[in-house]
Tab-separated table of all heavy atoms in Angstrom:
chain	number	residue	atom	x	y	z
A	84	VAL	N	38.880	-45.171	38.648
A	84	VAL	CA	39.193	-45.009	37.223
A	84	VAL	C	38.653	-43.653	36.786
A	84	VAL	O	37.781	-43.080	37.450
A	84	VAL	CB	38.558	-46.129	36.354
A	84	VAL	CG1	39.077	-47.497	36.747
A	84	VAL	CG2	37.038	-46.073	36.416
A	85	PRO	N	39.144	-43.118	35.668
A	85	PRO	CA	38.599	-41.853	35.180
A	85	PRO	C	37.143	-42.005	34.747
A	85	PRO	O	36.769	-42.992	34.117
A	85	PRO	CB	39.486	-41.516	33.976
A	85	PRO	CG	40.692	-42.384	34.106
A	85	PRO	CD	40.265	-43.602	34.845
A	86	VAL	N	36.331	-41.008	35.093
A	86	VAL	CA	34.934	-40.943	34.664
A	86	VAL	C	34.778	-39.756	33.718
A	86	VAL	O	34.980	-38.607	34.116
A	86	VAL	CB	33.976	-40.784	35.855
A	86	VAL	CG1	32.546	-40.568	35.361
A	86	VAL	CG2	34.049	-41.990	36.780
A	87	LEU	N	34.448	-40.059	32.467
A	87	LEU	CA	34.131	-39.013	31.496
A	87	LEU	C	32.621	-38.990	31.306
A	87	LEU	O	31.962	-40.029	31.409
A	87	LEU	CB	34.794	-39.290	30.143
A	87	LEU	CG	36.281	-38.980	29.989
A	87	LEU	CD1	37.138	-39.879	30.871
A	87	LEU	CD2	36.702	-39.134	28.536
A	88	THR	N	32.080	-37.835	31.024
A	88	THR	CA	30.652	-37.745	30.776
A	88	THR	C	30.384	-37.203	29.386
A	88	THR	O	31.064	-36.293	28.925
A	88	THR	CB	29.942	-36.867	31.823
A	88	THR	OG1	28.536	-36.820	31.523
A	88	THR	CG2	30.477	-35.446	31.837
A	89	GLY	N	29.394	-37.791	28.735
A	89	GLY	CA	28.988	-37.285	27.443
A	89	GLY	C	28.404	-35.892	27.571
A	89	GLY	O	27.672	-35.583	28.518
A	90	VAL	N	28.753	-35.036	26.616
A	90	VAL	CA	28.175	-33.693	26.523
A	90	VAL	C	27.440	-33.645	25.194
A	90	VAL	O	28.052	-33.478	24.137
A	90	VAL	CB	29.245	-32.591	26.610
A	90	VAL	CG1	28.596	-31.205	26.548
A	90	VAL	CG2	30.076	-32.740	27.877
A	91	SER	N	26.141	-33.826	25.266
A	91	SER	CA	25.329	-34.016	24.063
A	91	SER	C	24.062	-33.184	24.219
A	91	SER	O	23.109	-33.613	24.869
A	91	SER	CB	24.996	-35.506	23.900
A	91	SER	OG	24.159	-35.729	22.792
A	92	GLU	N	24.064	-31.988	23.643
A	92	GLU	CA	22.970	-31.048	23.867
A	92	GLU	C	22.495	-30.454	22.539
A	92	GLU	O	23.192	-30.516	21.532
A	92	GLU	CB	23.426	-29.924	24.804
A	92	GLU	CG	23.937	-30.399	26.166
A	92	GLU	CD	22.846	-30.967	27.057
A	92	GLU	OE1	21.656	-30.745	26.772
A	92	GLU	OE2	23.190	-31.636	28.057
A	93	LEU	N	21.315	-29.846	22.590
A	93	LEU	CA	20.744	-29.237	21.384
A	93	LEU	C	21.441	-27.943	20.997
A	93	LEU	O	21.500	-27.603	19.819
A	93	LEU	CB	19.249	-28.962	21.602
A	93	LEU	CG	18.334	-30.183	21.622
A	93	LEU	CD1	16.939	-29.781	22.078
A	93	LEU	CD2	18.272	-30.827	20.243
A	94	THR	N	21.948	-27.219	21.997
A	94	THR	CA	22.584	-25.936	21.716
A	94	THR	C	23.942	-25.855	22.390
A	94	THR	O	24.222	-26.566	23.369
A	94	THR	CB	21.724	-24.765	22.230
A	94	THR	OG1	21.737	-24.766	23.669
A	94	THR	CG2	20.287	-24.855	21.712
A	95	THR	N	24.749	-24.950	21.908
A	95	THR	CA	26.069	-24.752	22.493
A	95	THR	C	25.953	-24.233	23.918
A	95	THR	O	26.712	-24.646	24.802
A	95	THR	CB	26.876	-23.777	21.622
A	95	THR	OG1	26.982	-24.323	20.302
A	95	THR	CG2	28.277	-23.563	22.176
A	96	THR	N	24.998	-23.350	24.177
A	96	THR	CA	24.829	-22.801	25.522
A	96	THR	C	24.494	-23.890	26.531
A	96	THR	O	25.047	-23.923	27.644
A	96	THR	CB	23.736	-21.721	25.534
A	96	THR	OG1	24.129	-20.656	24.659
A	96	THR	CG2	23.521	-21.161	26.930
A	97	LEU	N	23.590	-24.803	26.166
A	97	LEU	CA	23.270	-25.911	27.059
A	97	LEU	C	24.489	-26.792	27.300
A	97	LEU	O	24.716	-27.280	28.413
A	97	LEU	CB	22.124	-26.736	26.483
A	97	LEU	CG	20.736	-26.094	26.493
A	97	LEU	CD1	19.744	-26.964	25.734
A	97	LEU	CD2	20.255	-25.848	27.918
Side-chain angles (χ1 to χ4, degrees):
V84 299
V86 174
L87 282 66
T88 180
V90 182
S91 177
E92 302 291 345
L93 288 170
T94 70
T95 301
T96 299
L97 289 173

